[in-house]
Amino acid sequence: MSGIKRIGVLTSGGDAPGMNAALRAVVRKGIYHGLVVYGINRGYEGLIHGEIQEMSLGSVADIVLRGGTILKTARSAEMRTVEGQLKATEQLHKSQIDALVVIGGDGSFRGAQTLAAQGLQIVGIPGTIDNDIAGTDLTIGFDTATNTVVDAVSKIRDTASSHERTFIVEVMGRDCGNIALQAGIACGAESILVPEIPYDLDEISDKLKRGHQRGKNHSIILVAEGAGSAFQIGEELRSRSGFETRITILGHLQRGGNPSALDAMIAAGMGGKAIEIILAHETSKMTAYVNQVIISTSLDAAYGKGRPFNRELYDLANELSI
């Protein structure tokens, strides 16, 4: 291992189902290869304040299918400053940590890059329900969050049908409509509104009217939060179509719950791959799931041209909901 003895691992940003499975893989594979593994509580905020503890095999027992993150997570304004970054580096040196694994999303990776610039060995694991990290087909948590939305919409549709109403369901996705798009396709939503594609409420209203004319007595419209306020959209559609609307905001429900089998499997693979990257003395890398294989790629890949929105799938959704 040529000098690599101690590694740290933290979870940062929004929690995502599967983070614990990734953490478990990092800890257990690290220990298997003779490394001492330290868990850092509360992300970068905890790192800056020295909230570092040694992990054992028992530390990660029975967490593989537990949602959230046992290491906790927090936003850190201080980490965005040079002073905060220097404090974080100092804490890693103080604990003699040779490499750091960061499990998180876009903001977490930016923090990781600042540490890599100071000569630290860094590996990122993409964990975010938004699936908005370029360079990987899937991020940890996305599959679970999408299934959570589909399950919720299936229940809402029962009520929508019973009361002959149009339901506007707002899902997470401030800058990215992936959850709305894939959940909308899976549950047969009549319209899907995402921040990437402009929409026309008159066209959506006309679609509702056409459906009503052919005997359809209810509709489901999925709205990514970044596409607009569900309450305002619901009021506009009620005014334009004359149909009664109801609003459901799923909110943080989408982040919770046990990870799906796919998320747990991807997380375990990425955690194991992170250890392989460290033992190969590589840095500024991230794990990725590409063509059903866990690979290593440059951390810079997360900030390339951005993850392209699947316009073909979006157009298919419109074609199927005529």
Side-chain angles (χ1 to χ4, degrees):
M1 291 183 291
S2 184
I4 300 174
K5 298 178 180 178
R6 298 178 176 86
I7 68 169
V9 57
L10 60 80
T11 53
S12 176
D15 61 304
M19 279 185 165
N20 280 329
L23 170 63
R24 174 179 178 270
V26 169
V27 171
R28 292 202 166 179
K29 184 160 182 171
I31 291 174
Y32 178 86
H33 285 281
L35 299 173
V36 179
V37 184
Y38 291 88
I40 300 164
N41 291 304
R42 300 193 309 118
Y44 291 118
E45 190 70 9
L47 174 57
I48 289 171
H49 293 94
E51 298 178 26
I52 302 171
Q53 61 187 10
E54 184 175 343
M55 305 290 283
S56 66
L57 295 177
S59 300
V60 292
D62 299 324
I63 69 169
V64 66
L65 288 179
R66 187 187 305 176
T69 163
I70 64 167
L71 289 181
K72 312 302 181 187
T73 182
R75 309 289 184 183
S76 178
E78 193 173 3
M79 187 62 187
R80 299 188 183 99
T81 68
V82 174
E83 293 78 9
Q85 293 158 18
L86 291 175
K87 287 181 182 178
T89 303
E90 181 181 348
Q91 290 290 356
L92 291 170
H93 288 324
K94 181 179 178 181
S95 297
Q96 298 181 304
I97 292 175
D98 304 308
L100 179 66
V101 178
V102 174
I103 306 171
D106 177 85
S108 304
F109 283 4
R110 293 188 188 280
Q113 284 185 313
T114 66
L115 298 178
Q118 297 181 50
L120 293 165
Q121 187 178 10
I122 300 293
V123 178
I125 296 178
T128 167
I129 66 170
D130 290 321
N131 202 33
D132 59 350
I133 300 295
T136 182
D137 294 341
L138 291 173
T139 58
I140 295 170
F142 174 68
D143 184 67
T144 307
T146 301
N147 280 310
T148 296
V149 172
V150 171
D151 181 63
V153 170
S154 71
K155 293 177 172 63
I156 290 169
R157 191 181 290 279
D158 291 341
T159 293
S161 177
S162 297
H163 291 270
E164 299 182 303
R165 290 171 177 161
T166 295
F167 267 77
I168 317 295
V169 182
E170 184 178 296
V171 301
M172 284 186 165
R174 185 179 60 233
D175 302 310
C176 173
N178 285 332
I179 292 177
L181 175 60
Q182 297 212 18
I185 282 280
C187 67
E190 279 68 35
S191 293
I192 303 169
L193 280 56
V194 295
E196 293 90 343
I197 307 292
Y199 56 87
D200 186 329
L201 290 178
D202 285 329
E203 290 182 2
I204 296 172
S205 176
D206 290 342
K207 182 187 291 187
L208 293 175
K209 292 176 182 178
R210 290 195 303 271
H212 185 265
Q213 289 171 356
R214 69 173 188 266
K216 190 173 181 61
N217 64 5
H218 70 278
S219 294
I220 299 291
I221 297 174
L222 252 58
V223 179
E225 60 185 322
S229 164
F231 288 101
Q232 293 179 358
I233 291 169
E235 181 57 31
E236 285 289 336
L237 289 176
R238 185 201 62 76
S239 176
R240 299 178 194 214
S241 69
F243 300 140
E244 192 173 2
T245 60
R246 289 292 184 270
I247 311 302
T248 298
I249 298 178
L250 296 184
H252 287 80
L253 175 72
Q254 297 156 85
R255 282 189 181 168
N258 297 341
S260 66
L262 179 60
D263 271 331
M265 181 275 294
I266 291 173
M270 286 186 173
K273 178 62 73 172
I275 296 299
E276 293 175 11
I277 293 169
I278 288 171
L279 296 178
H281 304 285
E282 298 178 2
T283 188
S284 296
K285 296 287 187 178
M286 79 168 190
T287 61
Y289 183 72
V290 178
N291 296 328
Q292 301 185 51
V293 177
I294 305 295
I295 66 168
S296 167
T297 189
S298 169
L299 193 58
D300 289 338
Y303 308 103
K305 296 180 180 180
R307 183 177 179 80
F309 184 73
N310 193 333
R311 183 57 189 260
E312 184 178 351
L313 192 60
Y314 179 83
D315 290 340
L316 175 63
N318 285 329
E319 293 166 356
L320 297 181
S321 62
I322 58 173

